[in-house]
Amino acid sequence: MADATFEKNYEQQVGNQKLETLATVKGGKRLPKGAPLTEVKTQHPYLRITDYSKNGVPSVQSMQYITEEVFDKISRYVINEGEVFLSIVGTIGIVDLIDERLDNASLTENAVKIHAQTTAMAHYLYLYLRSDEGRHEIDSRTVGTTQKKLAITRIKDFDVGVISETDLQEFERTVSPLINMVLANRSEIDTLVQIRDSLLQELI
């Protein structure tokens, strides 16, 4: 429903702006050489493209983590709640809106975070990147044959149709509860999976 609401509002666009005028775009960081990932849960999940399904849903159960020592070396490359995740190498175009479960996760070098100044714009850009218009921008600016890549400079240059501030606020009032519902459902599913796994472990 949020996607359909976006499409309806997108028809009311009043012009185009480059994405870099609407948000900042920053890349993630490769792990230091020899630094291990672990399945043992720490305070620092390391968010990878492989943690996502094709429809942009992360699996917390498959998440891997880094130690405090490793985190200290890459601590500037994190993604926070409310920012948009976009994969840029290999499987390009996975889009997610980060929720509280992944707040302050370390970000792979194969993805970027898109930080908007307002929640309304973050929601707008999230749904834009999921839309046919956004997919066209992603596909048309991706390069490479053996391994496809989407450069940060090309993302900043995306042409985004914008709507008036009044329409944006009305859009936010409509989509915010829908997006929050989706994110809450994800969290509930994760909790149920954790309970199931815990019970199965007790039975073994």
Side-chain angles (χ1 to χ4, degrees), residues 127-145:
L127 293 171
Y128 164 76
L129 291 169
R130 287 166 50 95
S131 71
D132 289 342
E133 294 80 8
R135 306 306 306 181
H136 174 73
E137 285 292 301
I138 291 170
D139 292 342
S140 65
R141 296 175 188 268
T142 297
V143 298
T145 51

Side-chain angles (χ1 to χ4, degrees), residues 18-186:
K18 299 298 183 183
L19 192 146
E20 67 177 344
T21 68
L22 304 171
T24 58
V25 184
K26 294 184 178 180
K29 183 69 172 178
R30 184 189 301 271
L31 286 174
K33 187 175 181 180
L37 286 170
T38 176
E39 294 181 356
V40 178
K41 190 173 182 178
T42 70
Q43 295 297 313
H44 307 295
Y46 186 76
L47 189 56
R48 306 162 299 165
I49 293 176
T50 53
D51 294 317
Y52 279 92
S53 64
K54 289 184 178 180
N55 61 353
V57 177
S59 172
V60 175
Q61 284 70 41
S62 69
M63 199 75 62
Q64 297 206 340
Y65 299 84
I66 56 176
T67 64
E68 190 72 35
E69 180 182 3
V70 174
F71 177 76
D72 287 343
K73 296 177 180 178
I74 60 173
S75 60
R76 293 191 298 118
Y77 301 92
V78 296
I79 190 165
N80 297 114
E81 181 180 2
E83 294 180 327
V84 178
F85 171 102
L86 174 63
S87 60
I88 61 171
V89 177
T91 305
I92 293 174
I94 295 174
V95 180
D96 184 32
L97 184 68
I98 298 298
D99 61 28
E100 61 182 2
R101 299 170 307 155
L102 296 176
D103 184 39
N104 206 44
S106 295
L107 182 63
T108 173
E109 76 278 13
N110 295 327
V112 297
K113 66 174 184 179
I114 299 172
H115 176 83
Q117 291 299 316
T118 67
T119 300
M121 183 54 70
H123 288 168
Y124 188 82
L125 291 176
Y126 165 62
L127 293 171
Y128 164 76
L129 291 169
R130 287 166 50 95
S131 71
D132 289 342
E133 294 80 8
R135 306 306 306 181
H136 174 73
E137 285 292 301
I138 291 170
D139 292 342
S140 65
R141 296 175 188 268
T142 297
V143 298
T145 51
T146 55
Q147 186 176 46
K148 294 180 179 294
K149 294 183 179 181
L150 177 59
I152 291 177
T153 53
R154 290 173 176 263
I155 297 170
K156 292 179 178 180
D157 198 48
F158 281 6
D159 286 313
V160 182
V162 294
I163 57 179
S164 70
E165 185 61 29
T166 300
D167 287 342
L168 181 63
Q169 295 309 315
E170 181 63 32
F171 161 83
E172 174 63 10
R173 282 191 288 272
T174 303
V175 302
S176 184
L178 299 175
I179 290 175
N180 289 338
M181 186 186 307
V182 170
L183 297 181
N185 287 342
R186 283 189 195 176

Side-chain angles (χ1 to χ4, degrees), residues 178-197:
L178 299 175
I179 290 175
N180 289 338
M181 186 186 307
V182 170
L183 297 181
N185 287 342
R186 283 189 195 176
S187 182
E188 183 176 350
I189 290 170
D190 282 338
T191 299
L192 292 173
V193 170
Q194 290 171 9
I195 293 172
R196 181 204 64 187
D197 292 346

